[in-house]
């Protein structure tokens, strides 16, 4: 009698173990499919646009795509690290506008007598990066949600940007800005090459440094990493500083392209960047994705936007389509049953 009970228990345990193993294998299979999905979508999208959108697959339009790609790509590199934490950075538009406004006042311009050249770029980028460090410090020390802190800082940076030029933007006269913004190498704009360099550096940090591994670990389970003695707060502050650094570079790009420094330089880029990161497969709950995913997502969003421009789609409809895309991307990528709380 007892032997039969033992046998039944062992059979039941074996069945449970088999079911658990099958479930794990099924989840791994789904994860692999989801991981490859953005790349498949990109390839299919490129083929469809080449066939159905006149003028898409031409040299001039490909250069336009590279031009459009540079600023969002830089932004998504920094934002990816923040989202990998399970956090969000809503201050990037304010930082872009602030840095873009300040740098034009420091180079040769129509409003001040300053002419700091390359040093103006360095000073402006450092100032913008410090804003990100402040974001991270307030977030971790006051234990406030990142979206509240960064949203507030965004408003502050908007105000400081307007105050810096006192409501009358400075026009850039510095020839270096024009040379960089209009220059090309191997047919690809200089700004795109700079963006690719930032992407490569971001990839190296993510894949080959302890810092990169810790970012993934925080997003996956912050408490476990804290229990090992790792300074989680320091890593978070550095991540927000990195995001602001990338936003600062984007602000420099905007000032170079526009030849003018004003707060509106950053308008519209936050939604673009978040859409690209999420569409690429980086999870809003943290711990999953990476800068390569964000590159793919940036290409997808850029191709869609470029195609809509070629088709003459109304700009408001374009914004609506972007909204639909990000909702669908989040709905598909979210892990059911896992809490999605922006830290």
């Amino acid at each position: 009698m007892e032997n039969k009970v033992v046998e039944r228990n062992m059979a039941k345990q074996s069945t449970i173990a088999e079911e658990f193993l099958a479930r794990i294998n099924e989840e791994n299979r789904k994860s692999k499919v989801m991981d490859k999905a953005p790349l498949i979508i990109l390839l299919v999208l490129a083929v469809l646009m080449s066939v159905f959108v006149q003028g898409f697959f031409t040299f001039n339009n490909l250069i336009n795509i590279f031009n459009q790609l540079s600023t969002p790509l830089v932004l998504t590199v920094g934002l990816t690290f923040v989202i990998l934490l399970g956090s969000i950075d809503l201050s990037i538009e304010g930082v872009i506008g602030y840095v873009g406004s300040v740098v034009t006042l420091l180079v040769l311009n129509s409003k001040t007598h300053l002419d700091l050249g390359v040093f103006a770029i360095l000073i402006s980028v450092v100032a913008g990066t410090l804003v990100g460090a402040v974001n991270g410090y307030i977030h971790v020390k006051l234990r406030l949600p990142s979206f509240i802190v960064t949203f507030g800082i965004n408003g502050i940076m908007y105000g400081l940007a307007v105050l810096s030029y006192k409501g009358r933007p400075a026009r850039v006269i510095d020839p270096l800005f024009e040379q960089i913004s209009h220059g090309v190498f191997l047919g690809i704009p200089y700004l795109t090459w700079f963006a690719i360099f930032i992407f490569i550096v971001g990839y190296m940090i993510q894949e080959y440094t302890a810092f990169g591994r810790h970012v993934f670990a925080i997003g996956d389970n912050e408490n476990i990493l804290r229990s090992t003695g790792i300074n989680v707060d320091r890593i978070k502050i550095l991540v927000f500083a990195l995001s602001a650094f990338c936003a600062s570079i984007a602000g420099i790009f905007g000032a170079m392209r526009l030849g003018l420094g004003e707060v509106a330089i950053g308008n519209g880029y936050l939604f673009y960047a978040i859409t690209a990161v999420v569409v690429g497969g980086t999870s809003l709950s943290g711990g999953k994705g990476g800068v390569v995913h964000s590159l793919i997502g940036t290409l997808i969003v850029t191709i869609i936007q470029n195609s809509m421009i070629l088709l003459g789609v109304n700009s408001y409809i374009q914004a609506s389509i972007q909204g639909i895309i990000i909702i669908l991307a989040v709905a598909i990528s979210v892990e059911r049953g896992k809490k999605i709380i922006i830290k």
Side-chain angles (χ1 to χ4, degrees), residues 156-340:
I156 292 171
M157 300 320 296
Y158 261 87
L160 291 177
V162 176
L163 286 173
S164 69
Y165 56 79
K166 298 178 181 177
R168 188 167 59 88
R171 184 169 55 83
V172 178
I173 305 173
D174 196 322
L176 177 64
F177 268 45
E178 186 174 354
Q179 289 171 11
I180 294 176
S181 64
H182 292 95
V184 296
F185 177 68
L186 299 178
I188 298 175
Y190 286 157
L191 294 183
T192 303
W193 283 114
F194 289 139
I196 292 171
F197 175 74
I198 295 292
F199 165 77
I200 292 172
V201 172
Y203 178 77
M204 298 294 286
I205 291 172
Q206 175 190 292
E207 294 295 320
Y208 300 106
T209 68
F211 173 79
R213 293 190 292 274
H214 291 159
V215 169
F216 277 96
I218 291 171
D220 190 48
N221 194 319
E222 181 179 326
N223 293 327
I224 291 178
L225 194 65
R226 284 188 186 276
S227 67
T228 64
I230 300 297
N231 191 337
V232 172
D233 289 351
R234 177 174 171 272
I235 293 168
K236 287 185 175 183
I237 292 171
L238 289 175
V239 167
F240 279 96
L242 175 61
S243 178
F245 168 80
C246 292
S248 300
I249 298 296
I252 302 296
F253 284 7
M256 286 180 172
R257 283 202 174 109
L258 193 61
L260 196 71
E262 61 176 346
V263 71
I265 287 175
N267 288 357
Y269 278 115
L270 174 63
F271 197 59
Y272 195 127
I274 292 176
T275 303
V277 173
V278 175
V279 167
T282 297
S283 173
L284 284 173
S285 57
K288 177 185 175 184
V291 293
V292 173
H293 293 76
S294 295
L295 170 62
I296 294 170
T298 304
L299 285 166
I300 290 172
V301 176
T302 301
I303 287 173
I304 291 172
Q305 188 178 60
N306 176 265
S307 300
M308 288 192 293
I309 291 171
L310 291 175
L311 292 169
V313 177
N314 185 287
S315 60
Y316 296 107
I317 296 177
Q318 291 182 33
S320 299
I321 291 173
Q322 270 193 322
I324 293 169
I325 290 170
I326 193 171
I327 291 171
L328 289 174
V330 173
I332 293 170
S333 64
V334 68
E335 294 180 42
R336 306 301 173 192
K338 185 174 181 178
K339 293 181 179 179
I340 304 180

Side-chain angles (χ1 to χ4, degrees), residues 30 70 96 115 157 189 268:
K30 288 181 179 178
S70 57
I96 292 172
D115 182 15
M157 300 320 296

